[in-house]
Amino acid sequence: MPDAPPATHTPVTHSTALHSLCQPLSHDAFLDHARQLLTRLYPERYEEVLRRMETLLDFHRPRLAPRIPAGEVLWSERDQWLITYGDSLQQPDEAPLATLNDFLASHLGECLSGAHVLPFFPWSSDDGFSVVHYREVNPALGDWQDIRRLSEQRDLMADLVINHCSRESLWFADYLAGVQPGRDYFIEMDPETDISAVVRPRPSALLTPVHTRRGLRHLWATFSDDQIDLNFGNPDVLLEFIGILLYYLEQGARMIRLDAVAFLWKRLGTSCIHLEETHAVVRLLRAIVDHLAPGSLLITETNVPHTENMSYFGLDRLVEAEQEGGKSVAQADEAHLIYQFTLPPLTLHTLTSGDASALTAWANSLPTLPAGCSYFNFTASHDGIGVRALEGLLPDHERDTLVRLVHDFGGYVSMRANPGHPDTPYELNISYFDALKGTRRGRDPWQIERFIASQTLMLSLQGIPGLYIHSLTATPNHQEGVERDGHLRAINRRKWHRDELEALLASPNTATHEVFHALKRRMELRREEPCFHPDAQQHVFDMGPDFFVFERVNHEGRRLLFALNVTDQPRVLPVPEHWQNIPLTDHLCHDKAFDPDMARRPYQAAWLMEQTVRAPAIEVV
């Protein structure tokens, strides 16, 4: 066996990092922080806005309480989430939210700690992300009682669709009529205005014409002409959304997802993305959550290049916070979690190229996060596979290779506008299962193994994993949905009839059965392994292009080595130096003794541990 390349990091055997703990924000500290932020947002009106906000918070305060006690951990290795629409599962004569709740209880039990139910409000387009009524549940899905039942069984994530609303909303009707409150909720713009600097996520026009009682007006619409951007330069809009956020927490949500938040604030002459005011709004919402409902979590959804995405932790503004034992530790004051948007396309690149070099380099670049911050890891979601996160990590020709592969495997590509330049790829529209049908050489027999490898990798990385329902069910491309709905993202948004899904799960000869049970058992193992605590340290090793290798070390020094053969050929794993000459067992292979001279199968993953460190053996297929 060749000598192992040197470790990327200096090995450690013990981590002194403390867990992220629930840190309530006192009333005085909150007011000081809020005043600073509001002064930045509304320098002429901050005292008035602060008074109005205090009145709003006092109204909601009696109905809110800490989600977890002060000093308790915010998350653990048992945190594992499902991403799903409210009607991804359907059954005759039953509200889809009730069907979902029963299915999760019947088939996944304690494997899942939480569920992200995508927008469950009345909507007019974009499968929920063009909200008509923010404080109502779409009656086609169920009602608030169904939402509360879900939240009683597991943690619930709700979307705060904060950047825009539907043109069918009452706010927009007010705007058209020129009456309050909606009259000043939107952004009018002269169509001759130079907006060439504005970053675009879509190829459509930024300004959409609207006929009002005052004549033709042009409104800012970042995503579509049915999703009209809201004017956060008007403090009434901010106060409206603070009230909505608190209402969702009252209805049982523990995590609030800030949808498309990067585009929130507009200032002509700038890119209108990631502006200082946008970050100030996120910090204010974090302060409100930590003050009124400590233990609740904010997560930002920003499908942008990796370094830009990382900015939503607010790592450049670390503050000191008291933790367990009176120790003062650095803590960020922006989002608790960010979506790890780099992971889906980079994993796809790795497993279809058979080369882990880029993935290893990226994972090695991730910083040590302060207390109260973690990643939300995922490979698939209701949207496509965003490729903006690859900017600066892969050359354009590698991105274009992914585009060709997706076309070959039955998918599509959505584009974004670049003023003065050709449109460029924005996201790949394909089911993640079918995106892994083969490699650059074409389709092969390894689709299921390759797909399970992608999910095992995601479950193993530092952070909290989120599995899309169509990953659990190995759902192929839903071409009928694209033809029926007329939009590309429908390819990955199938609605299962429960009886049909149950039949596939019961049949051992289906991909659905094999993938579902393999992932379920990995989740059962993971939730019992302390090395997968989100705060457990992660150290990446460069073991050559054939393997992706890292170790997880918890605060007590317990170690686990993850290794994945990313190729379609048997390969011998070059074990990192400080793991050599130690008897190891593979937790993914029934704690079988690990033979360092035996070749790992194509796409085989390992969770290696010292033989003296035993965990409950759960059979994994």
Side-chain angles (χ1 to χ4, degrees), residues 338-352:
I338 64 169
Y339 275 81
Q340 189 59 284
F341 272 101
T342 308
L343 188 59
L346 199 51
T347 299
L348 181 62
H349 161 78
T350 300
L351 293 174
T352 55

Side-chain angles (χ1 to χ4, degrees), residues 487-536:
H487 62 85
L488 301 183
R489 285 177 168 175
I491 198 169
N492 197 28
R493 297 179 179 180
R494 178 176 179 171
K495 312 297 183 187
W496 280 107
H497 294 289
R498 182 171 179 176
D499 289 347
E500 178 187 8
L501 179 58
E502 296 278 10
L504 291 172
L505 290 173
S507 173
N509 299 316
T510 66
T512 297
H513 174 95
E514 187 169 348
V515 168
F516 183 89
H517 289 286
L519 297 185
K520 178 181 177 181
R521 287 166 181 162
R522 279 159 174 76
M523 288 189 287
E524 289 172 341
L525 280 172
R526 183 189 179 280
R527 70 188 298 273
E528 300 297 334
E529 175 47 61
C531 287
F532 291 125
H533 191 292
D535 294 340

Side-chain angles (χ1 to χ4, degrees), residues 149-168:
R149 285 197 192 100
L150 272 167
S151 71
E152 291 166 359
Q153 300 302 314
R154 61 196 80 245
D155 288 338
L156 174 71
M157 186 193 304
D159 286 279
L160 189 65
V161 185
I162 194 170
N163 178 72
H164 50 262
C165 70
S166 167
R167 67 191 301 155
E168 295 183 16

